[in-house]
PDB file of all heavy atoms in Angstrom:
ATOM      1  N   ALA A 218       1.844   3.771  -6.314  1.00 91.00           N
ATOM      2  CA  ALA A 218       1.880   4.403  -7.638  1.00 91.00           C
ATOM      3  C   ALA A 218       3.038   3.846  -8.462  1.00 91.00           C
ATOM      4  O   ALA A 218       2.882   3.516  -9.644  1.00 91.00           O
ATOM      5  CB  ALA A 218       1.987   5.922  -7.495  1.00 91.00           C
ATOM      6  N   LEU A 219       4.205   3.705  -7.834  1.00 92.00           N
ATOM      7  CA  LEU A 219       5.380   3.197  -8.556  1.00 92.00           C
ATOM      8  C   LEU A 219       5.163   1.750  -9.005  1.00 92.00           C
ATOM      9  O   LEU A 219       5.559   1.369 -10.106  1.00 92.00           O
ATOM     10  CB  LEU A 219       6.631   3.286  -7.677  1.00 92.00           C
ATOM     11  CG  LEU A 219       7.171   4.703  -7.426  1.00 92.00           C
ATOM     12  CD1 LEU A 219       8.267   4.659  -6.367  1.00 92.00           C
ATOM     13  CD2 LEU A 219       7.713   5.323  -8.704  1.00 92.00           C
ATOM     14  N   ARG A 220       4.523   0.954  -8.146  1.00 91.00           N
ATOM     15  CA  ARG A 220       4.267  -0.439  -8.511  1.00 91.00           C
ATOM     16  C   ARG A 220       3.412  -0.509  -9.774  1.00 91.00           C
ATOM     17  O   ARG A 220       3.665  -1.299 -10.672  1.00 91.00           O
ATOM     18  CB  ARG A 220       3.542  -1.126  -7.345  1.00 91.00           C
ATOM     19  CG  ARG A 220       3.180  -2.571  -7.615  1.00 91.00           C
ATOM     20  CD  ARG A 220       2.364  -3.135  -6.447  1.00 91.00           C
ATOM     21  NE  ARG A 220       1.861  -4.453  -6.749  1.00 91.00           N
ATOM     22  CZ  ARG A 220       0.826  -5.017  -6.142  1.00 91.00           C
ATOM     23  NH1 ARG A 220       0.181  -4.361  -5.195  1.00 91.00           N
ATOM     24  NH2 ARG A 220       0.425  -6.218  -6.474  1.00 91.00           N
ATOM     25  N   ARG A 221       2.393   0.367  -9.854  1.00 92.00           N
ATOM     26  CA  ARG A 221       1.496   0.353 -11.003  1.00 92.00           C
ATOM     27  C   ARG A 221       2.179   0.882 -12.266  1.00 92.00           C
ATOM     28  O   ARG A 221       1.929   0.392 -13.367  1.00 92.00           O
ATOM     29  CB  ARG A 221       0.226   1.134 -10.667  1.00 92.00           C
ATOM     30  CG  ARG A 221      -0.692   0.304  -9.781  1.00 92.00           C
ATOM     31  CD  ARG A 221      -1.667   1.109  -8.971  1.00 92.00           C
ATOM     32  NE  ARG A 221      -2.492   0.253  -8.133  1.00 92.00           N
ATOM     33  CZ  ARG A 221      -2.112  -0.243  -6.962  1.00 92.00           C
ATOM     34  NH1 ARG A 221      -0.908   0.027  -6.472  1.00 92.00           N
ATOM     35  NH2 ARG A 221      -2.911  -1.021  -6.264  1.00 92.00           N
ATOM     36  N   ILE A 222       3.038   1.877 -12.096  1.00 92.00           N
ATOM     37  CA  ILE A 222       3.796   2.374 -13.254  1.00 92.00           C
ATOM     38  C   ILE A 222       4.720   1.257 -13.754  1.00 92.00           C
ATOM     39  O   ILE A 222       4.817   1.008 -14.959  1.00 92.00           O
ATOM     40  CB  ILE A 222       4.595   3.641 -12.875  1.00 92.00           C
ATOM     41  CG1 ILE A 222       3.620   4.795 -12.555  1.00 92.00           C
ATOM     42  CG2 ILE A 222       5.540   4.039 -14.009  1.00 92.00           C
ATOM     43  CD1 ILE A 222       4.273   6.022 -11.930  1.00 92.00           C
ATOM     44  N   ALA A 223       5.359   0.560 -12.820  1.00 92.00           N
ATOM     45  CA  ALA A 223       6.253  -0.541 -13.197  1.00 92.00           C
ATOM     46  C   ALA A 223       5.467  -1.663 -13.878  1.00 92.00           C
ATOM     47  O   ALA A 223       5.951  -2.286 -14.829  1.00 92.00           O
ATOM     48  CB  ALA A 223       6.991  -1.075 -11.962  1.00 92.00           C
ATOM     49  N   GLN A 224       4.230  -1.902 -13.414  1.00 89.00           N
ATOM     50  CA  GLN A 224       3.398  -2.939 -14.045  1.00 89.00           C
ATOM     51  C   GLN A 224       3.152  -2.610 -15.516  1.00 89.00           C
ATOM     52  O   GLN A 224       3.151  -3.498 -16.370  1.00 89.00           O
ATOM     53  CB  GLN A 224       2.047  -3.072 -13.333  1.00 89.00           C
ATOM     54  CG  GLN A 224       2.119  -3.827 -12.012  1.00 89.00           C
ATOM     55  CD  GLN A 224       0.769  -3.868 -11.306  1.00 89.00           C
ATOM     56  OE1 GLN A 224      -0.131  -3.092 -11.616  1.00 89.00           O
ATOM     57  NE2 GLN A 224       0.634  -4.757 -10.334  1.00 89.00           N
ATOM     58  N   ILE A 225       2.926  -1.327 -15.800  1.00 88.00           N
ATOM     59  CA  ILE A 225       2.700  -0.921 -17.197  1.00 88.00           C
ATOM     60  C   ILE A 225       3.938  -1.222 -18.033  1.00 88.00           C
ATOM     61  O   ILE A 225       3.849  -1.757 -19.143  1.00 88.00           O
ATOM     62  CB  ILE A 225       2.341   0.582 -17.269  1.00 88.00           C
ATOM     63  CG1 ILE A 225       0.966   0.797 -16.639  1.00 88.00           C
ATOM     64  CG2 ILE A 225       2.374   1.081 -18.718  1.00 88.00           C
ATOM     65  CD1 ILE A 225       0.567   2.256 -16.524  1.00 88.00           C
ATOM     66  N   GLU A 226       5.118  -0.902 -17.470  1.00 88.00           N
ATOM     67  CA  GLU A 226       6.360  -1.175 -18.184  1.00 88.00           C
ATOM     68  C   GLU A 226       6.511  -2.670 -18.465  1.00 88.00           C
ATOM     69  O   GLU A 226       6.798  -3.083 -19.583  1.00 88.00           O
ATOM     70  CB  GLU A 226       7.569  -0.720 -17.347  1.00 88.00           C
ATOM     71  CG  GLU A 226       7.700   0.773 -17.185  1.00 88.00           C
ATOM     72  CD  GLU A 226       8.088   1.451 -18.484  1.00 88.00           C
ATOM     73  OE1 GLU A 226       8.846   0.871 -19.282  1.00 88.00           O
ATOM     74  OE2 GLU A 226       7.596   2.565 -18.690  1.00 88.00           O
ATOM     75  N   VAL A 227       6.306  -3.469 -17.406  1.00 87.00           N
ATOM     76  CA  VAL A 227       6.535  -4.908 -17.521  1.00 87.00           C
ATOM     77  C   VAL A 227       5.436  -5.560 -18.356  1.00 87.00           C
ATOM     78  O   VAL A 227       5.667  -6.502 -19.111  1.00 87.00           O
ATOM     79  CB  VAL A 227       6.612  -5.541 -16.113  1.00 87.00           C
ATOM     80  CG1 VAL A 227       6.827  -7.040 -16.209  1.00 87.00           C
ATOM     81  CG2 VAL A 227       7.736  -4.898 -15.303  1.00 87.00           C
ATOM     82  N   SER A 228       4.218  -5.039 -18.246  1.00 83.00           N
ATOM     83  CA  SER A 228       3.065  -5.599 -18.958  1.00 83.00           C
ATOM     84  C   SER A 228       3.290  -5.591 -20.468  1.00 83.00           C
ATOM     85  O   SER A 228       2.918  -6.533 -21.167  1.00 83.00           O
ATOM     86  CB  SER A 228       1.820  -4.793 -18.607  1.00 83.00           C
ATOM     87  OG  SER A 228       0.723  -5.206 -19.373  1.00 83.00           O
ATOM     88  N   GLY A 229       3.912  -4.538 -20.966  1.00 76.00           N
ATOM     89  CA  GLY A 229       4.189  -4.457 -22.397  1.00 76.00           C
ATOM     90  C   GLY A 229       5.057  -5.619 -22.876  1.00 76.00           C
ATOM     91  O   GLY A 229       4.970  -6.047 -24.021  1.00 76.00           O
ATOM     92  N   ARG A 230       5.901  -6.157 -21.952  1.00 74.00           N
ATOM     93  CA  ARG A 230       6.748  -7.286 -22.326  1.00 74.00           C
ATOM     94  C   ARG A 230       5.967  -8.598 -22.298  1.00 74.00           C
ATOM     95  O   ARG A 230       6.125  -9.453 -23.149  1.00 74.00           O
ATOM     96  CB  ARG A 230       7.927  -7.412 -21.349  1.00 74.00           C
ATOM     97  CG  ARG A 230       8.919  -6.276 -21.477  1.00 74.00           C
ATOM     98  CD  ARG A 230      10.046  -6.448 -20.457  1.00 74.00           C
ATOM     99  NE  ARG A 230      10.232  -5.230 -19.695  1.00 74.00           N
ATOM    100  CZ  ARG A 230      10.648  -5.188 -18.434  1.00 74.00           C
ATOM    101  NH1 ARG A 230      10.909  -6.297 -17.773  1.00 74.00           N
ATOM    102  NH2 ARG A 230      10.802  -4.035 -17.828  1.00 74.00           N
ATOM    103  N   TYR A 231       5.101  -8.758 -21.252  1.00 72.00           N
ATOM    104  CA  TYR A 231       4.372 -10.020 -21.108  1.00 72.00           C
ATOM    105  C   TYR A 231       3.202 -10.126 -22.069  1.00 72.00           C
ATOM    106  O   TYR A 231       2.865 -11.207 -22.520  1.00 72.00           O
ATOM    107  CB  TYR A 231       3.845 -10.182 -19.671  1.00 72.00           C
ATOM    108  CG  TYR A 231       4.881 -10.726 -18.734  1.00 72.00           C
ATOM    109  CD1 TYR A 231       5.852  -9.911 -18.185  1.00 72.00           C
ATOM    110  CD2 TYR A 231       4.893 -12.075 -18.407  1.00 72.00           C
ATOM    111  CE1 TYR A 231       6.813 -10.409 -17.336  1.00 72.00           C
ATOM    112  CE2 TYR A 231       5.848 -12.586 -17.540  1.00 72.00           C
ATOM    113  CZ  TYR A 231       6.804 -11.748 -17.008  1.00 72.00           C
ATOM    114  OH  TYR A 231       7.751 -12.246 -16.165  1.00 72.00           O
ATOM    115  N   PHE A 232       2.529  -9.012 -22.291  1.00 68.00           N
ATOM    116  CA  PHE A 232       1.346  -9.033 -23.145  1.00 68.00           C
ATOM    117  C   PHE A 232       1.519  -8.002 -24.251  1.00 68.00           C
ATOM    118  O   PHE A 232       0.925  -6.940 -24.212  1.00 68.00           O
ATOM    119  CB  PHE A 232       0.088  -8.721 -22.326  1.00 68.00           C
ATOM    120  CG  PHE A 232      -0.091  -9.639 -21.153  1.00 68.00           C
ATOM    121  CD1 PHE A 232       0.184  -9.188 -19.860  1.00 68.00           C
ATOM    122  CD2 PHE A 232      -0.505 -10.951 -21.334  1.00 68.00           C
ATOM    123  CE1 PHE A 232       0.029 -10.036 -18.776  1.00 68.00           C
ATOM    124  CE2 PHE A 232      -0.648 -11.796 -20.247  1.00 68.00           C
ATOM    125  CZ  PHE A 232      -0.383 -11.344 -18.966  1.00 68.00           C
ATOM    126  N   PRO A 233       2.342  -8.309 -25.259  1.00 64.00           N
ATOM    127  CA  PRO A 233       2.622  -7.329 -26.307  1.00 64.00           C
ATOM    128  C   PRO A 233       1.329  -6.908 -26.998  1.00 64.00           C
ATOM    129  O   PRO A 233       0.390  -7.690 -27.088  1.00 64.00           O
ATOM    130  CB  PRO A 233       3.543  -8.089 -27.266  1.00 64.00           C
ATOM    131  CG  PRO A 233       4.066  -9.243 -26.490  1.00 64.00           C
ATOM    132  CD  PRO A 233       3.002  -9.596 -25.504  1.00 64.00           C
ATOM    133  N   ARG A 234       1.309  -5.701 -27.457  1.00 59.00           N
ATOM    134  CA  ARG A 234       0.117  -5.164 -28.110  1.00 59.00           C
ATOM    135  C   ARG A 234      -0.056  -5.762 -29.500  1.00 59.00           C
ATOM    136  O   ARG A 234       0.868  -5.763 -30.293  1.00 59.00           O
ATOM    137  CB  ARG A 234       0.243  -3.648 -28.285  1.00 59.00           C
ATOM    138  CG  ARG A 234       0.049  -2.900 -26.992  1.00 59.00           C
ATOM    139  CD  ARG A 234       0.495  -1.457 -27.138  1.00 59.00           C
ATOM    140  NE  ARG A 234       0.994  -0.965 -25.868  1.00 59.00           N
ATOM    141  CZ  ARG A 234       0.216  -0.393 -24.956  1.00 59.00           C
ATOM    142  NH1 ARG A 234      -1.055  -0.234 -25.183  1.00 59.00           N
ATOM    143  NH2 ARG A 234       0.734   0.016 -23.820  1.00 59.00           N
TER     144      ARG A 234
END
Side-chain angles (χ1 to χ4, degrees):
Chain A
L219 289 171
R220 178 185 173 201
R221 283 157 181 81
I222 294 170
Q224 283 177 343
I225 292 174
E226 291 290 325
V227 179
S228 174
R230 291 179 231 149
Y231 277 80
F232 305 105
R234 285 167 211 271

